[in-house]
Amino acid sequence: MDDDEEERDFSRSIVFGFFEQAENTFKNMDMSLEKRDLAQLSSLGHFLKGSSATLGLTKVKDSCEKIQHFGANKDETGTTDILDKDICLDRIKKVMGPLKRDYTEAEAILRRFYHE
């Protein structure tokens, strides 16, 4: 991370922007699950995958990638089609718990780093 305060302020704004982005994305994912909207879930997974990867949050990124694949009616690796929408929705629900836990853990570590 940044060694001097000016650079730390810059990265801080990126990290805290990610927190806001992630919280909004989780709300949208929950709503999309209720609506059973796989395409939207795939899109949201893709979106959060990219921003979490940028920050090096590998566990979060990996879970988001699974959601992206399941939302596209694929297995978790994205290589095999899953024709049953209910199976994909169930798998997304199972990924959401660990995803949110991993995010919360990363958020706590980053907040401590930035003295929040």
Side-chain angles (χ1 to χ4, degrees), residues 7-57:
E7 287 184 24
R8 188 168 288 169
D9 285 343
F10 175 72
S11 67
R12 184 184 191 282
S13 69
I14 293 169
V15 169
F16 281 76
F18 169 75
F19 293 159
E20 185 176 321
Q21 196 178 67
E23 293 296 330
N24 287 331
T25 302
F26 289 145
K27 288 177 189 172
N28 289 333
M29 284 177 164
D30 290 337
M31 286 189 297
S32 295
L33 266 172
E34 286 179 29
K35 294 178 183 177
R36 301 171 50 85
D37 187 343
L38 285 177
Q40 182 64 14
L41 285 159
S42 181
S43 177
L44 292 166
H46 177 75
F47 172 73
L48 195 56
K49 177 185 78 172
S51 52
S52 59
T54 299
L55 294 178
L57 305 177

Side-chain angles (χ1 to χ4, degrees), residues 46-95:
H46 177 75
F47 172 73
L48 195 56
K49 177 185 78 172
S51 52
S52 59
T54 299
L55 294 178
L57 305 177
T58 305
K59 289 181 181 179
V60 174
K61 176 198 66 90
D62 290 346
S63 291
C64 290
E65 186 170 35
K66 289 177 185 177
I67 291 170
Q68 177 185 352
H69 292 318
F70 293 142
N73 289 93
K74 302 280 185 187
D75 68 351
E76 68 182 42
T77 64
T79 57
T80 304
D81 290 338
I82 299 174
L83 301 178
D84 189 331
K85 181 177 185 174
D86 291 327
I87 290 173
C88 292
L89 288 165
D90 185 55
R91 290 183 181 175
I92 290 171
K93 287 176 190 173
K94 288 178 181 171
V95 171

